[in-house]
Coordinates of all heavy atoms in Angstrom, one line a residue:
M28 N 4.5 -0.2 21.8 CA 3.1 0.0 21.7 C 2.4 -1.0 22.7 O 2.7 -2.1 22.7 CB 2.6 -0.4 20.3 CG 3.0 0.6 19.2 SD 2.4 0.1 17.6 CE 0.6 0.5 17.8
N29 N 1.4 -0.5 23.3 CA 0.6 -1.3 24.2 C -0.8 -1.5 23.6 O -1.5 -0.6 23.5 CB 0.5 -0.6 25.6 CG 1.8 -0.5 26.3 OD1 2.6 -1.4 26.2 ND2 2.0 0.5 27.1
L30 N -1.1 -2.8 23.3 CA -2.3 -3.1 22.7 C -3.0 -4.1 23.6 O -2.4 -5.0 24.2 CB -2.2 -3.7 21.3 CG -1.4 -2.8 20.3 CD1 -1.3 -3.5 18.9 CD2 -2.2 -1.5 20.0
S31 N -4.4 -4.1 23.5 CA -5.1 -5.1 24.3 C -5.1 -6.4 23.5 O -4.7 -6.5 22.4 CB -6.6 -4.6 24.4 OG -7.2 -4.7 23.2
S32 N -5.5 -7.5 24.2 CA -5.5 -8.8 23.6 C -6.5 -8.9 22.5 O -6.3 -9.5 21.5 CB -5.8 -9.9 24.6 OG -7.1 -9.7 25.2
E33 N -7.6 -8.1 22.6 CA -8.6 -8.0 21.5 C -8.0 -7.4 20.2 O -8.2 -7.9 19.1 CB -9.8 -7.3 21.9 CG -10.6 -7.9 23.1 CD -11.6 -7.0 23.7 OE1 -11.7 -5.8 23.3 OE2 -12.3 -7.5 24.6
Q34 N -7.3 -6.3 20.4 CA -6.6 -5.6 19.3 C -5.6 -6.5 18.7 O -5.5 -6.6 17.4 CB -6.0 -4.3 19.8 CG -7.0 -3.3 20.2 CD -6.3 -2.1 20.8 OE1 -5.3 -2.2 21.6 NE2 -6.7 -0.9 20.4
I35 N -4.8 -7.2 19.5 CA -3.8 -8.1 18.9 C -4.5 -9.3 18.1 O -4.0 -9.6 17.0 CB -2.9 -8.7 20.0 CG1 -2.0 -7.5 20.6 CG2 -2.1 -9.9 19.5 CD1 -1.2 -7.9 21.8
D36 N -5.6 -9.8 18.6 CA -6.3 -10.9 17.9 C -6.8 -10.3 16.6 O -6.7 -11.1 15.5 CB -7.5 -11.4 18.7 CG -7.0 -12.2 20.0 OD1 -5.8 -12.6 20.0 OD2 -7.8 -12.3 20.9
E37 N -7.4 -9.1 16.5 CA -7.9 -8.5 15.3 C -6.7 -8.4 14.3 O -6.9 -8.7 13.1 CB -8.5 -7.2 15.5 CG -9.9 -7.2 16.2 CD -10.4 -5.8 16.4 OE1 -9.6 -4.9 16.5 OE2 -11.6 -5.7 16.3
L38 N -5.6 -7.9 14.8 CA -4.4 -7.7 13.9 C -3.9 -9.0 13.4 O -3.5 -9.1 12.2 CB -3.3 -6.9 14.6 CG -3.6 -5.4 14.8 CD1 -2.6 -4.8 15.7 CD2 -3.5 -4.7 13.4
R39 N -3.9 -10.0 14.2 CA -3.4 -11.3 13.8 C -4.3 -11.9 12.7 O -3.8 -12.5 11.7 CB -3.3 -12.3 15.0 CG -2.1 -12.1 15.8 CD -1.9 -13.2 16.8 NE -0.7 -13.0 17.6 CZ -0.6 -13.1 18.9 NH1 -1.6 -13.5 19.6 NH2 0.5 -12.8 19.5
E40 N -5.6 -11.8 12.9 CA -6.5 -12.3 11.9 C -6.3 -11.5 10.6 O -6.3 -12.2 9.5 CB -8.0 -12.0 12.4 CG -9.0 -12.6 11.5 CD -10.4 -12.4 12.0 OE1 -10.6 -12.2 13.2 OE2 -11.3 -12.4 11.2
L41 N -6.1 -10.2 10.6 CA -5.9 -9.5 9.4 C -4.5 -9.8 8.8 O -4.4 -10.0 7.5 CB -6.0 -8.0 9.7 CG -5.8 -7.0 8.5 CD1 -6.9 -7.3 7.5 CD2 -5.9 -5.6 9.0
A42 N -3.5 -10.0 9.6 CA -2.2 -10.3 9.1 C -2.1 -11.6 8.4 O -1.3 -11.9 7.5 CB -1.2 -10.2 10.2
G43 N -3.0 -12.6 8.8 CA -3.0 -13.9 8.3 C -4.0 -14.1 7.2 O -4.1 -15.2 6.6
S44 N -4.7 -13.0 6.8 CA -5.8 -13.1 5.8 C -5.2 -13.3 4.4 O -4.2 -12.7 4.0 CB -6.6 -11.8 5.8 OG -7.5 -11.9 4.8
R45 N -5.8 -14.2 3.6 CA -5.4 -14.4 2.3 C -6.3 -13.6 1.3 O -6.1 -13.5 0.1 CB -5.5 -15.8 1.9 CG -4.5 -16.7 2.6 CD -4.7 -18.1 2.3 NE -3.8 -18.9 3.1 CZ -2.8 -19.7 2.5 NH1 -2.7 -19.7 1.2 NH2 -2.0 -20.4 3.3
H46 N -7.3 -12.9 1.9 CA -8.3 -12.2 1.0 C -8.2 -10.7 1.1 O -8.7 -10.0 0.3 CB -9.7 -12.6 1.3 CG -9.9 -14.1 1.1 ND1 -9.9 -14.7 -0.1 CD2 -10.1 -15.1 2.0 CE1 -10.1 -16.0 0.0 NE2 -10.2 -16.3 1.3
A47 N -7.4 -10.2 2.1 CA -7.2 -8.8 2.3 C -6.2 -8.3 1.3 O -5.3 -9.1 0.9 CB -6.8 -8.5 3.7
P48 N -6.2 -7.0 0.9 CA -5.2 -6.5 0.1 C -3.8 -6.6 0.7 O -3.6 -6.5 2.0 CB -5.6 -5.0 -0.1 CG -7.0 -5.0 0.2 CD -7.3 -6.1 1.2
A49 N -2.8 -6.8 -0.1 CA -1.4 -7.0 0.4 C -0.9 -5.9 1.3 O -0.2 -6.1 2.3 CB -0.5 -7.3 -0.7
D50 N -1.2 -4.6 0.9 CA -0.7 -3.5 1.6 C -1.3 -3.4 3.0 O -0.7 -3.1 4.0 CB -0.9 -2.2 0.9 CG -2.4 -1.9 0.5 OD1 -3.2 -2.9 0.5 OD2 -2.7 -0.8 0.2
V51 N -2.6 -3.8 3.1 CA -3.2 -3.8 4.4 C -2.6 -4.9 5.3 O -2.4 -4.7 6.5 CB -4.8 -4.0 4.3 CG1 -5.5 -4.1 5.6 CG2 -5.3 -2.9 3.4
V52 N -2.4 -6.1 4.8 CA -1.8 -7.2 5.5 C -0.4 -6.8 6.0 O 0.0 -7.1 7.1 CB -1.7 -8.5 4.6 CG1 -0.9 -9.6 5.3 CG2 -3.1 -9.0 4.3
L53 N 0.4 -6.1 5.1 CA 1.7 -5.7 5.5 C 1.6 -4.7 6.7 O 2.4 -4.8 7.7 CB 2.4 -5.0 4.3 CG 3.8 -4.4 4.6 CD1 4.8 -5.4 5.1 CD2 4.3 -3.6 3.5
R54 N 0.7 -3.7 6.6 CA 0.6 -2.8 7.7 C 0.2 -3.4 9.0 O 0.7 -3.1 10.1 CB -0.4 -1.7 7.4 CG 0.0 -0.8 6.3 CD -1.0 0.3 6.1 NE -0.9 0.9 4.7 CZ -1.8 0.9 3.8 NH1 -3.0 0.5 4.1 NH2 -1.6 1.4 2.6
A55 N -0.7 -4.4 9.0 CA -1.1 -5.2 10.2 C 0.1 -5.9 10.8 O 0.3 -5.9 12.0 CB -2.2 -6.2 9.8
R56 N 1.0 -6.5 9.9 CA 2.2 -7.2 10.4 C 3.1 -6.2 11.1 O 3.7 -6.5 12.1 CB 2.9 -7.9 9.3 CG 2.2 -9.2 8.8 CD 2.9 -9.9 7.8 NE 2.2 -11.0 7.3 CZ 2.2 -11.5 6.1 NH1 3.0 -11.0 5.2 NH2 1.5 -12.6 5.7
L57 N 3.3 -5.1 10.5 CA 4.2 -4.1 11.0 C 3.7 -3.6 12.4 O 4.6 -3.5 13.3 CB 4.3 -2.8 10.1 CG 4.9 -3.0 8.7 CD1 4.8 -1.8 7.9 CD2 6.3 -3.5 8.8
V58 N 2.4 -3.4 12.6 CA 1.9 -3.0 13.9 C 2.1 -4.1 14.9 O 2.4 -3.9 16.0 CB 0.4 -2.5 13.7 CG1 -0.2 -2.3 15.1 CG2 0.4 -1.3 12.9
L59 N 1.8 -5.4 14.5 CA 1.9 -6.5 15.4 C 3.4 -6.7 15.9 O 3.6 -6.9 17.1 CB 1.5 -7.8 14.6 CG 0.1 -8.3 14.8 CD1 -0.2 -9.5 13.9 CD2 -0.2 -8.6 16.2
W60 N 4.3 -6.6 14.9 CA 5.7 -6.7 15.4 C 6.1 -5.5 16.3 O 6.9 -5.8 17.2 CB 6.6 -6.7 14.1 CG 6.5 -8.0 13.3 CD1 6.2 -9.2 13.8 CD2 6.8 -8.2 12.0 NE1 6.2 -10.1 12.8 CE2 6.6 -9.5 11.7 CE3 7.2 -7.3 10.9 CZ2 6.7 -10.1 10.4 CZ3 7.3 -7.9 9.7 CH2 7.1 -9.2 9.4
A61 N 5.6 -4.4 16.1 CA 5.9 -3.2 17.0 C 5.3 -3.5 18.3 O 5.9 -3.2 19.4 CB 5.3 -1.9 16.4
A62 N 4.1 -4.1 18.4 CA 3.4 -4.4 19.6 C 4.2 -5.5 20.4 O 4.1 -5.6 21.6 CB 2.0 -4.9 19.4
E63 N 4.9 -6.4 19.7 CA 5.7 -7.4 20.3 C 7.0 -6.8 21.0 O 7.7 -7.5 21.7 CB 6.2 -8.5 19.3 CG 5.0 -9.3 18.8 CD 5.5 -10.3 17.7 OE1 6.7 -10.2 17.3 OE2 4.6 -11.1 17.3
G64 N 7.3 -5.6 20.6 CA 8.4 -4.9 21.2 C 9.7 -4.9 20.4 O 10.8 -4.6 20.8
R65 N 9.5 -5.3 19.1 CA 10.7 -5.3 18.2 C 11.1 -3.9 17.9 O 10.2 -3.0 17.8 CB 10.3 -6.1 16.9 CG 10.1 -7.5 17.2 CD 9.9 -8.3 15.9 NE 9.5 -9.6 16.1 CZ 9.7 -10.6 15.3 NH1 10.4 -10.4 14.2 NH2 9.3 -11.8 15.6
R66 N 12.3 -3.7 17.5 CA 12.9 -2.4 17.2 C 12.4 -2.0 15.8 O 12.2 -2.9 14.9 CB 14.4 -2.4 17.2 CG 14.9 -2.5 18.6 CD 16.4 -2.4 18.7 NE 17.1 -3.0 17.5 CZ 18.3 -2.5 17.1 NH1 18.9 -1.6 17.7 NH2 18.8 -3.1 16.1
R67 N 12.3 -0.8 15.5 CA 11.8 -0.2 14.2 C 12.7 -0.7 13.1 O 12.3 -1.1 12.0 CB 11.9 1.3 14.4 CG 11.6 2.0 13.1 CD 11.6 3.5 13.4 NE 12.0 4.2 12.2 CZ 12.7 5.2 12.1 NH1 13.3 5.8 13.1 NH2 13.0 5.8 10.9
K68 N 14.0 -0.7 13.3 CA 15.0 -1.1 12.3 C 14.8 -2.6 12.0 O 14.9 -3.0 10.8 CB 16.4 -0.8 12.8 CG 17.5 -1.1 11.8 CD 18.8 -0.7 12.4 CE 20.0 -1.1 11.4 NZ 21.3 -0.8 12.0
D69 N 14.6 -3.4 13.0 CA 14.5 -4.8 12.8 C 13.2 -5.1 12.0 O 13.1 -6.0 11.2 CB 14.5 -5.6 14.1 CG 15.8 -5.4 14.8 OD1 16.8 -5.2 14.2 OD2 15.8 -5.6 16.1
I70 N 12.1 -4.4 12.4 CA 10.8 -4.6 11.7 C 11.0 -4.2 10.2 O 10.5 -4.9 9.3 CB 9.7 -3.7 12.3 CG1 9.5 -4.2 13.8 CG2 8.4 -3.8 11.5 CD1 8.6 -3.2 14.6
A71 N 11.7 -3.1 9.9 CA 11.8 -2.7 8.6 C 12.6 -3.7 7.8 O 12.3 -4.0 6.6 CB 12.6 -1.3 8.5
E72 N 13.6 -4.3 8.4 CA 14.4 -5.4 7.7 C 13.6 -6.6 7.4 O 13.6 -7.2 6.3 CB 15.6 -5.7 8.5 CG 16.8 -4.7 8.4 CD 18.0 -5.2 9.2 OE1 18.2 -6.4 9.4 OE2 18.8 -4.3 9.6
L73 N 12.8 -7.0 8.4 CA 11.9 -8.2 8.3 C 10.9 -8.0 7.1 O 10.7 -8.9 6.3 CB 11.2 -8.5 9.5 CG 11.8 -9.3 10.6 CD1 10.9 -9.3 11.9 CD2 12.0 -10.7 10.1
A74 N 10.4 -6.8 7.1 CA 9.3 -6.6 6.1 C 9.8 -6.1 4.7 O 9.1 -6.1 3.7 CB 8.3 -5.5 6.6
G75 N 11.1 -5.7 4.7 CA 11.7 -5.2 3.4 C 11.2 -3.8 3.1 O 11.0 -3.5 1.9
V76 N 10.9 -3.0 4.1 CA 10.4 -1.7 3.9 C 11.4 -0.7 4.5 O 12.3 -1.1 5.3 CB 9.0 -1.5 4.4 CG1 8.0 -2.4 3.6 CG2 8.9 -1.7 5.9
A77 N 11.1 0.6 4.3 CA 11.9 1.7 5.0 C 11.4 1.8 6.4 O 10.2 1.6 6.7 CB 11.8 3.0 4.2
P78 N 12.3 2.3 7.3 CA 11.9 2.5 8.7 C 10.7 3.5 8.8 O 9.9 3.3 9.7 CB 13.1 3.0 9.4 CG 14.3 2.4 8.6 CD 13.7 2.4 7.2
N79 N 10.7 4.5 8.0 CA 9.6 5.5 8.1 C 8.2 4.8 7.7 O 7.2 5.3 8.2 CB 9.8 6.7 7.3 CG 9.9 6.5 5.8 OD1 10.0 5.4 5.3 ND2 9.7 7.5 5.0
T80 N 8.2 3.7 6.9 CA 7.0 3.0 6.6 C 6.4 2.4 7.9 O 5.2 2.3 8.1 CB 7.2 2.0 5.5 OG1 7.8 2.6 4.4 CG2 6.0 1.3 5.1
V81 N 7.3 1.9 8.7 CA 6.9 1.3 10.0 C 6.3 2.3 10.9 O 5.2 2.1 11.4 CB 8.1 0.6 10.7 CG1 7.7 0.1 12.1 CG2 8.8 -0.4 9.9
D82 N 6.9 3.5 10.9 CA 6.3 4.6 11.7 C 4.9 5.0 11.2 O 4.0 5.2 12.0 CB 7.3 5.8 11.7 CG 8.6 5.5 12.4 OD1 8.6 4.6 13.2 OD2 9.6 6.2 12.1
R83 N 4.8 5.1 9.9 CA 3.5 5.5 9.3 C 2.4 4.5 9.6 O 1.3 4.9 9.9 CB 3.6 5.7 7.8 CG 4.2 7.1 7.5 CD 4.2 7.4 6.0 NE 5.3 6.8 5.4 CZ 5.4 6.2 4.2 NH1 4.3 6.3 3.5 NH2 6.4 5.7 3.7
A84 N 2.7 3.2 9.6 CA 1.7 2.2 9.9 C 1.3 2.3 11.3 O 0.1 2.2 11.6 CB 2.3 0.8 9.6
K85 N 2.2 2.5 12.2 CA 1.9 2.6 13.7 C 1.0 3.9 13.9 O 0.0 3.8 14.6 CB 3.2 2.7 14.5 CG 3.9 1.4 14.6 CD 5.2 1.4 15.4 CE 5.8 2.6 15.9 NZ 7.1 2.4 16.6
V86 N 1.3 5.0 13.3 CA 0.6 6.2 13.4 C -0.8 6.0 12.9 O -1.8 6.4 13.5 CB 1.3 7.4 12.7 CG1 0.4 8.6 12.6 CG2 2.5 7.8 13.5
R87 N -0.9 5.4 11.7 CA -2.3 5.1 11.1 C -3.1 4.2 12.1 O -4.3 4.5 12.3 CB -2.1 4.4 9.8 CG -1.7 5.3 8.7 CD -1.6 4.5 7.4 NE -2.9 4.3 6.8 CZ -3.1 4.1 5.5 NH1 -2.0 4.1 4.7 NH2 -4.3 4.0 5.0
Y88 N -2.5 3.2 12.6 CA -3.3 2.3 13.5 C -3.7 3.1 14.8 O -4.9 2.9 15.2 CB -2.5 1.1 13.9 CG -3.3 0.1 14.7 CD1 -4.3 -0.7 14.1 CD2 -3.1 0.0 16.1 CE1 -5.0 -1.5 14.9 CE2 -3.9 -0.8 16.9 CZ -4.8 -1.6 16.3 OH -5.6 -2.4 17.0
L89 N -2.8 3.8 15.3 CA -3.2 4.6 16.6 C -4.2 5.6 16.3 O -5.0 6.0 17.2 CB -1.9 5.2 17.2 CG -0.9 4.2 17.8 CD1 0.3 4.9 18.2 CD2 -1.5 3.4 18.9
A90 N -4.3 6.1 15.1 CA -5.2 7.2 14.7 C -6.7 6.6 14.5 O -7.6 7.3 14.8 CB -4.8 7.9 13.5
G91 N -6.8 5.4 14.0 CA -8.1 4.9 13.7 C -8.3 3.5 13.7 O -9.3 3.0 13.2
G92 N -7.4 2.7 14.2 CA -7.5 1.3 14.3 C -7.4 0.6 12.9 O -6.8 1.1 12.0
I93 N -8.0 -0.6 12.8 CA -8.0 -1.4 11.6 C -8.6 -0.6 10.4 O -8.1 -0.8 9.3 CB -8.6 -2.8 11.8 CG1 -7.7 -3.6 12.7 CG2 -8.8 -3.5 10.5 CD1 -8.1 -5.0 13.0
A94 N -9.6 0.1 10.7 CA -10.3 0.8 9.6 C -9.3 1.8 8.9 O -9.3 2.0 7.7 CB -11.5 1.6 10.1
Q95 N -8.5 2.4 9.7 CA -7.5 3.4 9.2 C -6.4 2.6 8.5 O -5.8 3.1 7.5 CB -6.9 4.2 10.3 CG -6.0 5.4 9.9 CD -6.8 6.4 9.1 OE1 -8.0 6.6 9.2 NE2 -6.1 7.1 8.2
L96 N -6.0 1.4 8.9 CA -5.0 0.6 8.2 C -5.5 0.3 6.8 O -4.7 0.2 5.9 CB -4.7 -0.7 9.0 CG -3.8 -0.6 10.2 CD1 -3.6 -2.0 10.7 CD2 -2.5 0.1 9.9
A97 N -6.8 0.0 6.7 CA -7.3 -0.4 5.4 C -7.7 0.7 4.5 O -8.0 0.5 3.3 CB -8.5 -1.3 5.7
S98 N -7.7 2.0 5.0 CA -8.1 3.1 4.1 C -7.1 3.4 3.1 O -5.9 3.3 3.3 CB -8.5 4.3 5.0 OG -7.3 4.8 5.5
R99 N -7.6 3.9 2.0 CA -6.7 4.3 0.9 C -7.0 5.7 0.5 O -8.2 6.0 0.4 CB -6.8 3.4 -0.3 CG -6.3 2.0 0.0 CD -6.3 1.2 -1.3 NE -5.8 -0.2 -1.0 CZ -5.7 -1.1 -1.8 NH1 -6.2 -0.9 -3.0 NH2 -5.3 -2.3 -1.5
K100 N -6.0 6.5 0.2 CA -6.3 7.8 -0.3 C -6.5 7.8 -1.8 O -5.9 7.1 -2.6 CB -5.0 8.7 0.0 CG -4.8 8.9 1.5 CD -3.6 9.7 1.7 CE -3.3 9.9 3.2 NZ -2.1 10.6 3.5
P101 N -7.5 8.6 -2.3 CA -7.8 8.6 -3.7 C -6.7 9.3 -4.5 O -6.0 10.2 -4.0 CB -9.2 9.4 -3.7 CG -9.1 10.2 -2.5 CD -8.4 9.4 -1.5
G102 N -6.6 8.9 -5.7 CA -5.7 9.6 -6.6 C -4.3 9.1 -6.5 O -3.4 9.7 -7.2
R103 N -4.0 8.0 -5.8 CA -2.7 7.5 -5.7 C -2.4 6.5 -6.9 O -3.3 5.9 -7.4 CB -2.4 6.8 -4.4 CG -2.6 7.6 -3.2 CD -1.6 8.7 -3.1 NE -1.7 9.5 -1.9 CZ -1.6 10.8 -1.9 NH1 -1.3 11.4 -3.0 NH2 -1.7 11.5 -0.8
G104 N -1.2 6.4 -7.3 CA -0.9 5.5 -8.3 C 0.1 6.2 -9.3 O 0.3 7.3 -9.3
R105 N 0.5 5.4 -10.2 CA 1.4 5.9 -11.2 C 0.7 6.7 -12.3 O -0.4 6.4 -12.7 CB 2.1 4.7 -11.9 CG 3.1 5.1 -12.9 CD 3.8 3.8 -13.4 NE 4.9 4.2 -14.3 CZ 5.8 3.4 -14.8 NH1 5.7 2.1 -14.4 NH2 6.7 3.8 -15.6
A106 N 1.3 7.8 -12.6 CA 0.7 8.7 -13.6 C 0.9 8.1 -15.0 O 1.9 7.4 -15.3 CB 1.4 10.1 -13.6
L107 N -0.1 8.3 -15.8 CA 0.0 7.7 -17.2 C 1.0 8.5 -18.0 O 1.0 9.8 -17.9 CB -1.4 7.8 -17.9 CG -2.5 7.0 -17.2 CD1 -3.8 7.2 -17.9 CD2 -2.1 5.5 -17.3
S108 N 1.8 7.8 -18.8 CA 2.7 8.5 -19.6 C 2.6 8.0 -21.0 O 2.1 6.9 -21.3 CB 4.2 8.3 -19.1 OG 4.5 6.9 -19.2
R109 N 2.9 8.8 -22.0 CA 2.7 8.5 -23.4 C 4.1 8.3 -24.0 O 5.0 9.2 -23.7 CB 1.9 9.5 -24.1 CG 0.5 9.6 -23.6 CD -0.3 10.6 -24.4 NE -1.6 10.5 -23.9 CZ -2.5 11.4 -24.3 NH1 -2.2 12.5 -25.0 NH2 -3.7 11.3 -23.8
C110 N 4.3 7.3 -24.8 CA 5.6 7.1 -25.4 C 5.7 8.0 -26.6 O 4.7 8.7 -27.1 CB 5.7 5.7 -25.8 SG 4.5 5.1 -27.0
R111 N 6.9 8.1 -27.2 CA 7.1 9.0 -28.4 C 6.2 8.7 -29.5 O 5.7 9.6 -30.2 CB 8.5 8.9 -28.8 CG 9.5 9.5 -27.9 CD 10.9 9.4 -28.5 NE 11.8 10.1 -27.7 CZ 13.1 10.2 -28.0 NH1 13.6 9.5 -29.0 NH2 13.9 10.8 -27.2
G112 N 5.9 7.4 -29.8 CA 5.1 7.1 -31.0 C 3.6 7.2 -30.8 O 2.9 6.9 -31.7
Y113 N 3.2 7.6 -29.6 CA 1.8 7.6 -29.3 C 1.0 8.5 -30.2 O 0.0 8.2 -30.8 CB 1.5 8.0 -27.8 CG 0.1 8.2 -27.5 CD1 -0.7 7.0 -27.2 CD2 -0.5 9.4 -27.4 CE1 -2.0 7.1 -26.9 CE2 -1.9 9.5 -27.1 CZ -2.6 8.4 -26.9 OH -3.9 8.5 -26.6
R114 N 1.5 9.7 -30.4 CA 0.8 10.7 -31.3 C 0.8 10.2 -32.7 O -0.2 10.3 -33.4 CB 1.5 12.1 -31.2 CG 0.7 13.1 -32.0 CD 1.2 14.5 -31.6 NE 0.4 15.5 -32.2 CZ 0.8 16.1 -33.3 NH1 1.9 15.9 -33.9 NH2 0.0 17.0 -33.9
R115 N 1.9 9.7 -33.2 CA 2.0 9.2 -34.5 C 1.0 8.1 -34.8 O 0.3 8.0 -35.7 CB 3.4 8.8 -34.8 CG 3.8 8.4 -36.2 CD 5.2 8.1 -36.3 NE 5.7 7.7 -35.0 CZ 7.0 7.6 -34.7 NH1 7.9 7.7 -35.7 NH2 7.4 7.3 -33.5
L116 N 1.0 7.2 -33.8 CA 0.1 6.0 -33.9 C -1.4 6.5 -33.9 O -2.2 6.0 -34.7 CB 0.3 5.1 -32.7 CG -0.5 3.8 -32.7 CD1 -0.1 2.9 -33.8 CD2 -0.3 3.1 -31.4
T117 N -1.7 7.5 -33.1 CA -3.1 8.0 -33.0 C -3.5 8.6 -34.3 O -4.6 8.4 -34.8 CB -3.2 9.0 -31.9 OG1 -2.8 8.4 -30.7 CG2 -4.6 9.5 -31.7
V118 N -2.6 9.4 -34.9 CA -2.8 10.0 -36.2 C -3.1 9.0 -37.3 O -4.0 9.1 -38.1 CB -1.7 11.0 -36.5 CG1 -1.9 11.6 -37.9 CG2 -1.6 12.1 -35.5
R119 N -2.3 8.0 -37.3 CA -2.4 7.0 -38.4 C -3.7 6.2 -38.2 O -4.3 5.7 -39.2 CB -1.3 6.0 -38.3 CG 0.0 6.6 -38.8 CD 1.1 5.6 -38.8 NE 2.4 6.2 -39.2 CZ 3.5 5.7 -38.9 NH1 3.7 4.6 -38.2 NH2 4.6 6.3 -39.3
Q120 N -4.2 6.0 -37.0 CA -5.4 5.2 -36.8 C -6.7 6.0 -36.9 O -7.8 5.5 -37.0 CB -5.4 4.5 -35.4 CG -4.3 3.4 -35.3 CD -4.3 2.8 -34.0 OE1 -4.9 3.3 -33.0 NE2 -3.6 1.7 -33.9
T121 N -6.6 7.3 -37.1 CA -7.7 8.2 -37.2 C -8.3 8.0 -38.6 O -7.5 8.2 -39.6 CB -7.4 9.6 -37.0 OG1 -6.7 9.7 -35.7 CG2 -8.6 10.5 -37.0
P122 N -9.5 7.7 -38.7 CA -10.1 7.5 -40.1 C -10.1 8.8 -40.9 O -10.4 9.8 -40.3 CB -11.5 6.9 -39.9 CG -11.8 7.3 -38.5 CD -10.5 7.4 -37.7
I123 N -9.9 8.7 -42.1 CA -9.9 9.8 -43.0 C -11.4 9.9 -43.5 O -11.9 9.0 -44.1 CB -8.9 9.7 -44.2 CG1 -7.5 9.5 -43.6 CG2 -9.0 10.8 -45.2 CD1 -6.5 9.2 -44.6
P124 N -12.0 11.1 -43.4 CA -13.3 11.3 -43.9 C -13.4 11.2 -45.4 O -12.4 11.6 -46.1 CB -13.7 12.7 -43.4 CG -12.5 13.4 -43.1 CD -11.5 12.3 -42.8
P125 N -14.4 10.6 -46.0 CA -14.5 10.5 -47.4 C -14.7 11.8 -48.1 O -15.3 12.7 -47.5 CB -15.7 9.6 -47.6 CG -16.5 9.7 -46.4 CD -15.6 10.0 -45.3
T126 N -14.1 12.0 -49.2 CA -14.3 13.3 -50.0 C -15.4 13.1 -51.0 O -15.5 12.1 -51.6 CB -12.9 13.6 -50.7 OG1 -12.6 12.5 -51.5 CG2 -11.8 13.9 -49.7
T127 N -16.2 14.1 -51.1 CA -17.3 14.0 -52.1 C -17.2 15.2 -53.1 O -16.6 16.1 -53.0 CB -18.6 14.1 -51.4 OG1 -18.7 15.3 -50.6 CG2 -18.9 12.9 -50.6

């Protein structure tokens, strides 16, 4: 990857930030290491991620710069699941209406 000195400075600032979200900082580091000329496999080992994660971070940066690195898609995350006792617990906690 060929980046200008301004782009590298922006990425370094983001990669060293303590206030940015961890996933954004990680993506900035991945792009920086790629710009240094490190191999994809070595970057993945350093960061503790899969090699395709390195590729995705590079593609995101090339598509939209730092703004694209920081963007998040809505609806991501773990789906809620209910345990076996959830329904039983809900039924027990439901107040019984008074009889008249």
Side-chain angles (χ1 to χ4, degrees):
M28 288 182 72
N29 294 326
L30 302 178
S31 70
S32 60
E33 295 167 355
Q34 290 173 319
I35 291 175
D36 290 341
E37 286 180 331
L38 285 168
R39 280 193 179 134
E40 184 178 337
L41 184 59
S44 174
R45 293 176 183 243
H46 301 291
D50 57 342
V51 177
V52 171
L53 174 65
R54 290 185 203 124
R56 286 184 184 151
L57 296 175
V58 173
L59 267 175
W60 289 334
E63 290 174 358
R65 295 185 189 207
R66 292 183 327 151
R67 175 182 154 216
K68 182 178 177 183
D69 296 336
I70 295 170
E72 282 183 25
L73 273 172
V76 297
N79 66 341
T80 304
V81 176
D82 294 337
R83 280 188 277 146
K85 291 182 345 186
V86 167
R87 283 179 81 156
Y88 183 76
L89 293 174
I93 289 184
Q95 188 67 25
L96 282 182
S98 69
R99 292 185 180 178
K100 295 180 181 177
R103 300 292 182 222
R105 185 175 181 168
L107 297 176
S108 63
R109 296 181 175 168
C110 62
R111 286 183 175 180
Y113 177 78
R114 183 167 186 261
R115 186 177 21 191
L116 181 66
T117 305
V118 171
R119 287 184 186 158
Q120 290 180 349
T121 305
I123 301 172
T126 57
T127 55

